[in-house]
C-alpha cells in the first residue's frame, strides 16, 4: 500500500458497529435506488447506506478476515454490476476477485485463488486492488503487485495480461508500476491509475482488446 497516504486526523473514530467504518477504500452507487456501497476494508465487509441514513447494513463479509466463502479479507476496490445485481470485489489479502450477489450470504470466485494463494500465472493474482466489468460481463483487474491488468472473459478463471508486463515494472508505455484503479468508458477504453509512475494511462479498446471484441 505504498501509494496510500493515511492521514490520521483525530476527527474520525473507527469501529465495527453498523454506523462506523474502519479504513473505507472505495464506493459504488446504485443510480436507481441511490444506495451507496462502501468497501469497509479493515472490517472485512461491504456496507450499504441509503441516502441520509445514519447507519448502514452489512451486505458482504463481516465475519472476520479469512478465505472461506462467507468472508472477505481486506476488500479494496468494488464494482456494482447492475445486470447481475452483484458486487465484484477486489479481495486484496486473499489475492482474488469475488462476486457477491446482493442478498446472498457468500461469494463466488471470479479470478485468482479461492484459498488465497498469490502468484504470477494466468490463473493467479497478487494483491488485486480494483476491478471493473464491461457490459458483456468481462472482468478487468488491477493486479497491482504483478504490475499488470488482467482480463477475464466472462466465466473464465484464466486471465490474459492486456496492459503492463507481468511481474516487471517500468515507466515506458508498455509497463505499469503498481496499478491501483481501473475504469472503462462506454467505448471500452480502459483507464488505469499507474500509481508509482504518477500517471493515468489510457488504453484504446481497438488497440488492446480487438481479440476479444470483434
Ligand atoms: C438528505 O438530507 C439533506 C439535509 O437535511 C436534505 O436536504 C435532503 O433532501 C435529504 N435527502 C433525502 C433523499 O432525504
Ligand atoms: C467462515 O468463517 C467464519 C469465522 O470463523 C464463520 O463464522 C463462518 O461460519 C465460516 N463460514 C463458512 C461457510 O465456513
Ligand atoms: C505469496 O506466496 C508465497 C508462496 O507462494 C508466500 O511465501 C508469500 O508469503 C506470499 N506473499 C504474500 C504477501 O502473501
Ligand atoms: C490459459 O490460457 C492460455 C492461452 O490460451 C493457455 O495457454 C493456458 O493453457 C490456459 N491455462 C489454463 C490453466 O487453462
Amino acid at each position: 500500500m505504498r501509494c496510500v497516504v493515511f492521514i490520521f486526523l483525530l476527527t474520525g473514530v473507527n469501529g465495527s458497529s453498523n454506523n462506523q467504518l474502519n479504513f473505507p477504500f472505495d464506493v459504488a452507487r446504485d443510480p436507481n435506488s441511490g444506495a451507496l456501497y462502501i468497501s469497509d476494508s479493515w472490517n472485512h465487509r461491504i456496507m450499504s447506506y441509503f441516502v441520509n441514513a445514519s447507519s448502514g447494513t452489512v451486505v458482504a463479509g463481516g465475519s472476520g478476515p479469512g478465505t472461506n466463502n462467507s468472508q472477505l479479507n481486506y476488500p479494496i476496490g468494488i464494482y456494482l454490476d447492475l445486470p447481475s445485481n452483484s458486487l465484484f470485489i477486489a479481495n486484496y489479502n486473499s489475492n482474488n476477485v469475488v462476486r457477491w450477489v446482493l442478498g446472498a450470504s457468500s461469494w463466488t470466485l471470479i479470478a485468482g485463488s479461492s484459498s488465497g494463494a498469490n502468484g504470477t500465472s494466468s490463473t493467479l493474482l497478487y494483491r488485486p486492488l480494483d476491478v471493473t466489468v464491461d457490459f458483456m460481463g468481462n472482468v478487468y483487474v488491477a493486479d497491482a503487485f504483478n504490475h499488470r491488468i488482467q482480463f477475464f472473459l466472462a466465466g473464465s478463471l484464466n486471465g490474459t495480461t492486456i496492459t503492463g508486463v507481468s511481474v516487471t515494472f517500468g515507466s515506458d508505455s508498455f509497463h505499469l508500476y503498481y496499478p491501483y484503479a481501473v475504469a472503462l468508458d462506454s467505448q471500452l477504453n480502459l483507464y488505469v491509475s499507474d500509481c508509482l509512475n504518477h500517471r493515468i494511462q489510457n488504453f484504446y479498446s481497438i488497440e488492446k482488446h480487438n481479440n476479444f471484441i470483434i
Side-chain angles (χ1 to χ4, degrees), residues 118-134:
N118 72 67
T120 61
S121 73
S122 62
T123 55
L124 292 174
L125 301 170
Y126 192 12
R127 304 291 205 210
L129 282 171
D130 199 17
V131 57
T132 191
V133 180
D134 69 23

Side-chain angles (χ1 to χ4, degrees), residues 122-123 156-160:
S122 62
T123 55
S156 174
L157 289 168
N158 189 11
T160 309

Side-chain angles (χ1 to χ4, degrees), residues 117-190:
N118 72 67
T120 61
S121 73
S122 62
T123 55
L124 292 174
L125 301 170
Y126 192 12
R127 304 291 205 210
L129 282 171
D130 199 17
V131 57
T132 191
V133 180
D134 69 23
F135 67 90
M136 294 169 281
N138 303 318
V139 178
Y140 304 70
V141 179
D143 189 12
F145 281 47
N146 281 330
H147 309 292
R148 65 187 185 182
I149 305 301
Q150 291 296 89
F151 173 86
F152 297 87
L153 279 170
S156 174
L157 289 168
N158 189 11
T160 309
T161 300
I162 53 167
T163 78
V165 176
S166 188
V167 189
T168 309
F169 62 82
S171 60
D172 64 28
S173 63
F174 299 103
H175 288 82
L176 298 169
Y177 193 7
Y178 292 101
Y180 264 53
V182 283
L184 288 168
D185 66 19
S186 60
Q187 312 297 309
L188 298 185
N189 298 310
L190 183 69

Side-chain angles (χ1 to χ4, degrees), residues 63 68-71:
S63 52
N68 82 34
N69 68 1
S70 61
Q71 292 177 305

Side-chain angles (χ1 to χ4, degrees), residues 14-138:
N14 63 348
S16 60
S17 59
N18 282 357
N19 64 355
Q20 292 178 307
L21 299 168
N22 194 355
F23 286 100
F25 271 87
D26 199 9
V27 291
R29 184 173 173 277
D30 183 335
N32 302 320
S33 67
L36 197 63
Y37 297 93
I38 302 168
S39 70
D40 187 12
S41 189
W42 289 25
N43 283 327
H44 313 287
R45 66 185 185 182
I46 311 297
M47 300 297 292
S48 83
Y49 276 77
F50 285 102
V51 179
N52 287 351
S54 56
S55 74
T57 305
V58 179
V59 293
S63 52
T67 57
N68 82 34
N69 68 1
S70 61
Q71 292 177 305
L72 296 173
N73 200 352
Y74 295 94
I76 306 280
I78 54 175
Y79 179 82
L80 176 64
D81 185 50
L82 292 174
S84 65
N85 191 41
S86 60
L87 287 163
F88 284 72
I89 303 166
N91 200 19
Y92 174 80
N93 213 36
S94 281
N95 299 300
N96 59 25
V97 170
V98 299
R99 183 164 77 94
W100 200 298
V101 176
L102 294 171
S105 55
S106 63
W107 49 253
T108 53
L109 185 69
I110 294 297
S113 160
S114 60
S115 65
N118 72 67
T120 61
S121 73
S122 62
T123 55
L124 292 174
L125 301 170
Y126 192 12
R127 304 291 205 210
L129 282 171
D130 199 17
V131 57
T132 191
V133 180
D134 69 23
F135 67 90
M136 294 169 281
N138 303 318

